[in-house]
Every structure is written in structure tokens, then in C-alpha cells.
């Protein structure tokens, strides 16, 4: 039996960040930047107004209220810059180029809004409501550093400094296969002994949530030849393979049989509950990593969280490969088998300013309802068999959107 930490260390010694690739901005979203992005030009690129109002010479507003003739109109967009002579002003819109000679903008709210002439009630400071060239970013400045996560704001910034493409670590392409002669496509009427293949759906979407591109191959029966053929077919498009089922010691556990003969794949008992039988190694000409996860649906997902997700985050080039963890108080006694790390499905909430958890199901690795209701996993260490109510437990936060 090996520990969770030993198995994870084995996985992370094999899995490396993917080689950078240049992609368009929309494809870069969610990826990790693999270059420093330098602004080729200053930001703002030209002096412009931050308000709708009037571009003025502040020297003309020694006394207010005062009335100035309006000699032109300037909107956002390309135009040769206007000039404002002393004693005159120009109506200006947000984002429009500042006229030559003007040194401030009077917001329309400080005026009567006139078109041929305008009454100005307040005097702005020099430079008021003008965004100066290079005020935010100077040409040559690094605006995004290597290793940055590219969310929507970072993608917008890259576009704002004139980039259409970026070097990023690409999203890993994951092929998900489920094995078991008892499995049928979800939605198919069931014969006795059959059940819907839920793992390939759960694992494919879990890969997507982790930032990967996932291809769901679906069901392969417990037949060594068919499994081998499928894996060989899929290797060309996979940076990583994930199988579920067939890794225990049963007579028809063909994944273990077939994969242990290929590449460097090893099968281990890992001291965790759920998820004890685990296969991992590399296969094929490119030494593609492969995870052979246990078939019980909760075991498959907990194994994904524990080993596959960190591997995918590593391939993406992320610094933070682990889920966020926090310490919470358990509201009931928690039990765990000796010598194993337990991953209990819990609901985490804030009560009286404290994080509190309670289990949402029993420990069984087939209890899919509990897994779907949980928003966190409580981790009970190997050496601990009981955590009494009111004590602290470490909790891994799961992804729950819209809550
Ligand atoms: P195995 O690891 O193949 O021995 O499977 C363990 C248990 O998980 C059995 O009850 C299987 O029927 C079930 N199982 C295996 N694969 C899947 C799957 N893809 N979807 C749902 N249940 C599965
Ligand atoms: Mg099976």
C-alpha cells in the first residue's frame, strides 16, 4: 500500500507543462501565459476626454459663471485635432481627442449644455477630466507577466495593448474511456444487470472544469483486445488518457491486465477511501500519461480530484495545482478507517462567522447522490480514526458555480 502523497508525487514527477503555442485571444482564455506581454504603444494612446462636456482653456474661466462661444464638436473617432483659441471652447464627447490648446474638460453637468454658446458655472482644475497619453502604461512596459492566468480582464488588456495572439501553455487534450460490459449509454432502457455509464460523463466534464479539452470515447466492454485497439486509436489526439473501471482484482478487470503490459503503467493500492486501486504510468510513442481510475463513481471522481486534476493543472502550467483548502469545524463526529485518508462528502457553510461542515452521505463509494450534493470534501488524515463534533477538519473546496 502506498500513501496518497507518494502516489501524487509519482504522478507529478511524470507530468510536465505542455509546450507553449501561439493562439488567438479567445482560445487563450483560461490558459496560462507563456510570455511577458509588452505594450508596444502607450495607454491611453492619445490625450482624450473622460467626460461628455466642453474642452476649455482654464485661463478663460477666471470668473464663473461665464459664457463662451462653442466653435466645434468633437466625438470619439478618427479626426484631425481641433484647435481652441483663447476665449473659445469645443464641445467634446467621452474618448474624443483633446483639441490643441485646451487644458481641461468641463463636464456637461457644470453647464447649461448650450450648442452655439455655453454657460459654464464651475471652473475645472488644469488637466481635469483629461486622460493623458501614457498615463496608465508607457510604451515598452510589461503589462502581463509569464505565468499569469488569462481570465476575461487579462484577455481584454492584451487586446487593449494591441495583441491579437498570445503564447500560452495550451489546454491539455484528455481522452476519457469507461470500461465495463455492464455499461450502456445514459438514457438507454436497461436490461437486468445493466447500468448507465455515468463515469465517462462525470470525468469528461470534470476535465473541462479543470481547464482541459476533453474527448469522451465512452464505453469499452471488458475485452482486452477492444480496450487495446481503442487506446491505440485515441493516443494520437491525447495529451493524457483517463480510464475508469477494471482496476480491481476481479476476473474481468481487463484494464489492469492490458495496461500493466504496456509502457510504464503500475497498479497500486493507495491508502485512501474511496479510491484505493489506482493505475498510473505512460504509454505509446510519446509516453502519454494514463490514469486508470477505479469504476465506482465516487471513487472515480475522488481519484480525479486527488490525482488527475493536479496533473491537468500542472500540464496547463498553473502555479496553483491544488484545490483551495480551509479548516472547518465538523458539526458531527467523523469516522475514518485506520491507515487510510478519507475523503468525506460534506456540505460546507458559514455559521456564526465560522466554517462548519456536515456529511451529506455515508462513506460508500457508490453513493452518487452524496457526491452530487457535496460542495466540499473533508479530508481525515491516515493516522486519525475519529474527529469529534466541534473539532477542526481540513476541507477541500469543490467547484460549484451558481451557488
Ligand atoms: P470496477 O472498478 O470495474 O470493478 O467497477 C466497480 C463498480 O463501479 C461496479 O459496480 C461498476 O458497475 C461500477 N462502474 C464501473 N464503471 C462505471 C461507469 N462508467 N459508470 C457507472 N458505474 C460504473
Ligand atoms: Mg468493471
Amino acid at each position: 500500500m502506498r500513501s496518497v502523497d507518494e502516489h501524487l508525487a509519482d504522478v507529478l514527477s511524470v507530468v510536465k507543462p505542455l509546450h507553449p503555442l501561439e493562439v488567438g485571444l479567445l482560445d487563450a482564455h483560461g490558459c496560462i501565459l507563456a510570455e511577458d506581454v509588452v505594450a508596444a504603444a502607450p495607454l491611453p494612446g492619445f490625450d482624450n476626454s473622460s467626460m461628455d462636456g466642453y474642452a476649455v482653456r482654464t485661463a478663460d474661466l477666471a470668473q464663473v459663471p461665464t459664457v463662451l462661444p462653442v466653435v466645434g464638436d468633437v466625438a470619439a473617432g478618427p479626426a484631425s485635432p481641433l484647435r481652441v483659441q483663447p476665449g473659445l471652447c469645443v464641445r467634446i464627447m467621452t474618448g474624443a481627442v483633446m483639441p490643441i490648446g485646451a487644458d481641461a474638460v468641463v463636464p456637461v453637468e457644470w453647464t447649461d449644455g448650450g450648442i452655439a454658446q455655453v454657460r459654464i458655472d464651475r471652473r475645472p482644475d488644469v488637466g481635469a477630466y483629461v486622460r493623458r497619453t501614457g498615463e496608465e502604461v508607457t510604451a515598452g512596459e510589461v503589462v502581463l507577466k509569464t505565468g499569469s492566468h488569462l481570465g476575461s480582464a487579462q484577455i481584454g488588456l492584451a487586446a487593449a495593448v494591441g495583441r491579437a495572439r498570445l503564447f500560452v501553455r495550451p489546454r491539455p487534450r484528455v481522452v476519457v474511456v469507461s470500461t465495463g460490459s455492464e455499461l450502456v449509454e445514459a438514457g438507454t432502457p436497461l436490461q437486468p444487470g445493466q447500468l448507465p455509464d455515468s463515469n465517462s460523463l462525470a470525468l469528461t466534464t470534470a476535465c473541462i472544469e479543470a481547464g482541459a479539452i476533453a474527448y469522451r470515447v465512452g464505453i469499452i466492454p471488458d475485452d482486452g483486445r477492444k480496450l487495446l485497439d481503442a487506446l491505440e486509436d485515441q493516443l494520437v489526439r491525447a495529451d493524457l488518457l483517463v480510464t475508469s473501471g477494471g482496476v480491481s482484482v476481479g476476473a474481468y478487470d481487463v484494464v489492469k491486465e492490458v495496461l500493466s503490459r504496456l509502457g510504464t503503467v503500475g497498479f497500486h493500492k493507495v491508502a485512501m477511501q474511496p479510491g484505493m486501486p489506482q493505475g498510473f504510468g505512460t504509454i505509446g510513442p510519446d509516453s502519454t500519461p494514463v490514469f486508470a481510475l477505479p469504476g465506482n463513481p465516487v471513487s472515480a471522481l475522488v481519484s480525479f480530484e486527488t490525482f488527475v486534476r493536479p496533473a491537468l493543472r500542472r500540464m496547463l502550467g498553473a502555479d496553483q495545482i491544488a484545490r483551495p483548502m480551509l479548516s472547518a469545524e465538523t458539526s458531527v463526529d467523523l469516522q475514518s478507517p485506520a491507515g487510510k485518508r478519507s475523503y468525506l462528502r460534506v456540505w460546507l457553510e458559514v455559521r456564526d462567522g465560522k466554517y462548519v461542515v456536515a456529511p451529506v452521505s455515508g462513506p460508500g463509494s457508490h453513493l452518487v447522490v452524496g457526491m452530487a450534493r457535496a460542495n466540499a470534501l473533508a479530508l481525515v488524515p491516515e493516522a486519525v480514526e475519529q474527529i469529534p463534533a466541534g473539532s477542526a477538519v481540513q476541507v477541500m473546496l469543490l467547484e460549484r458555480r451558481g451557488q
Side-chain angles (χ1 to χ4, degrees), residues 178-179 182-183 195-200 244-248 253 294-297:
S178 53
T179 70
E182 73 279 29
L183 304 174
L195 70 154
D197 162 29
S198 59
N199 287 350
S200 70
S244 78
V247 296
S248 317
D253 285 331
N296 269 308

Side-chain angles (χ1 to χ4, degrees), residues 50-233:
S50 69
M51 296 288 270
D52 293 330
Y54 298 84
V56 296
R57 293 169 168 264
T58 48
D60 294 334
L61 301 175
Q63 304 290 325
V64 283
T66 192
V67 174
L68 297 179
V70 179
V71 294
D73 224 19
V74 48
S80 45
L82 296 179
R83 183 174 288 277
V84 179
Q85 304 293 348
L88 306 176
C89 72
V90 160
R91 194 156 76 119
I92 192 165
M93 311 304 152
T94 304
V97 181
M98 275 300 281
I100 297 160
D103 62 2
V105 171
V106 180
V108 67
E109 294 82 359
W110 298 6
T111 74
D112 66 357
I115 291 171
Q117 58 174 38
V118 61
R119 195 193 71 236
I120 295 172
D121 299 326
R122 275 175 70 182
R123 179 176 194 270
D125 293 334
V126 172
Y129 304 109
V130 180
R131 300 170 181 151
R132 292 266 165 231
T133 308
E135 191 175 81
E136 188 181 14
V137 175
T138 54
E141 196 176 323
V142 173
V143 293
L144 287 168
K145 289 213 167 74
T146 303
S148 304
H149 175 263
L150 297 169
S152 47
Q154 293 72 31
I155 295 292
L157 172 57
V161 299
R163 296 291 299 268
R165 300 174 72 74
L166 293 171
F167 274 98
V168 299
R169 303 258 175 208
R171 293 175 184 273
R173 296 161 307 154
V174 186
V175 165
V176 179
V177 172
S178 53
T179 70
S181 297
E182 73 279 29
L183 304 174
V184 294
E185 282 294 325
T188 309
L190 301 176
Q191 305 297 325
Q194 290 185 328
L195 70 154
D197 162 29
S198 59
N199 287 350
S200 70
L201 280 307
L203 291 169
T204 302
T205 48
C207 288
I208 294 167
E209 286 174 358
I213 295 167
Y215 304 113
R216 174 180 168 261
V217 170
I219 307 158
I220 312 287
D222 293 317
D223 172 329
R225 187 71 250 165
K226 289 198 169 126
L227 177 62
L228 255 181
D229 288 350
L231 293 179
E232 266 162 23
D233 281 356

